[in-house]
Amino acid sequence: MSNVCVIFDLDGTLVDSETLGTEALLELVPDLNEPLETLIDAYRGQRMATILADVERRLNRKLPKDFEHHYRDHASARMQTHLQPMPGVVEMLQELTYPLAVASSAPPAKIQLALEVCGIDHHFGENVFSCYDINAWKPDPAIFLHTAQAMNVSPGQCIVIEDSDVGVAAALAAGMRVLRYRFPHASSEVIQFPEMHLLPGLLREVSATLI
């Protein structure tokens, strides 16, 4: 199976951080009068600059210049005490024998913290890649192409596990196969699955079709 590399998104795919992050945002901006689920759906997979610009649009006012710094500190504190892996992730990772990597839009420190808090960092080692390292964010395919190069595989040897529209678009643009977790995507190019225990079987099926 060394000819196949499996690349995971982080937030909402490996770890249940999207709810925590949005709750932290609402705690700091209580006048953001939107339902939690609405904001989670709107911000899934988006970079922080895009999220904060949308928050300002919804509020019709500017946020303080140091807001992002305070938000990241607040969200990090919540992660250290409340973050959990997505259901079934721990057991799923124990089944896999492929080379594994993480390619995330989150800052490197957040990625590492999330993996360590959830006890799954040992599955990835140093194969953890951030959009902040290359200054390009999904749906730009650059992070996935960068990850493939670092893992010494071609895009055609990569299977990406994603949950967001922008992540799926980035992986497809990189020429990689995509398995989408939980959220339907209207594309014949994307295989969708609702629960993590199904992923090892899907990976076996898809990897058999790769060159």
Side-chain angles (χ1 to χ4, degrees), residues 3-169:
N3 65 319
V4 174
C5 177
V6 180
I7 305 174
F8 285 89
D9 173 52
L10 178 74
D11 297 307
T13 302
L14 286 173
V15 303
D16 195 7
S17 53
E18 292 177 333
T19 299
L20 283 179
T22 308
E23 287 173 345
L25 180 64
L26 287 170
E27 287 171 356
L28 294 180
V29 192
D31 55 331
L32 184 57
N33 189 25
E34 298 281 357
L36 177 66
E37 290 300 324
T38 297
L39 295 177
I40 292 172
D41 289 342
Y43 300 152
R44 181 171 292 113
Q46 299 292 337
R47 62 180 295 194
M48 183 55 60
T50 301
I51 292 172
L52 296 185
D54 185 72
V55 169
E56 291 182 335
R57 180 189 63 79
R58 292 172 187 267
L59 294 173
N60 196 29
R61 64 175 173 84
K62 289 289 186 181
L63 294 167
K65 289 184 178 180
D66 59 352
F67 180 84
E68 181 175 349
H69 174 75
H70 287 302
Y71 167 75
R72 289 200 182 279
D73 284 348
H74 185 52
S76 178
R78 285 182 121 267
M79 284 175 56
Q80 292 182 54
T81 55
H82 292 86
L83 187 63
Q84 298 289 326
M86 294 301 290
V89 158
V90 172
E91 296 80 5
M92 175 273 294
L93 289 173
Q94 290 171 347
E95 288 190 47
L96 302 187
T97 57
Y98 310 90
L100 305 179
V102 173
S104 170
S105 297
K110 178 190 173 184
I111 301 172
Q112 201 60 46
L113 174 64
L115 295 174
E116 290 174 0
V117 168
C118 291
I120 57 175
D121 52 307
H122 61 285
H123 290 288
F124 302 98
E126 296 182 355
N127 301 328
V128 176
F129 306 96
S130 167
C131 290
Y132 283 80
D133 292 331
I134 61 171
N135 200 34
W137 279 263
K138 306 169 186 177
D140 189 316
I143 185 60
F144 289 123
L145 295 172
H146 172 71
T147 300
Q149 184 177 34
M151 298 294 290
N152 197 32
V153 293
S154 69
Q157 293 173 284
C158 296
I159 304 173
V160 174
I161 316 303
E162 266 284 357
D163 74 313
S164 70
D165 289 341
V166 292
V168 168

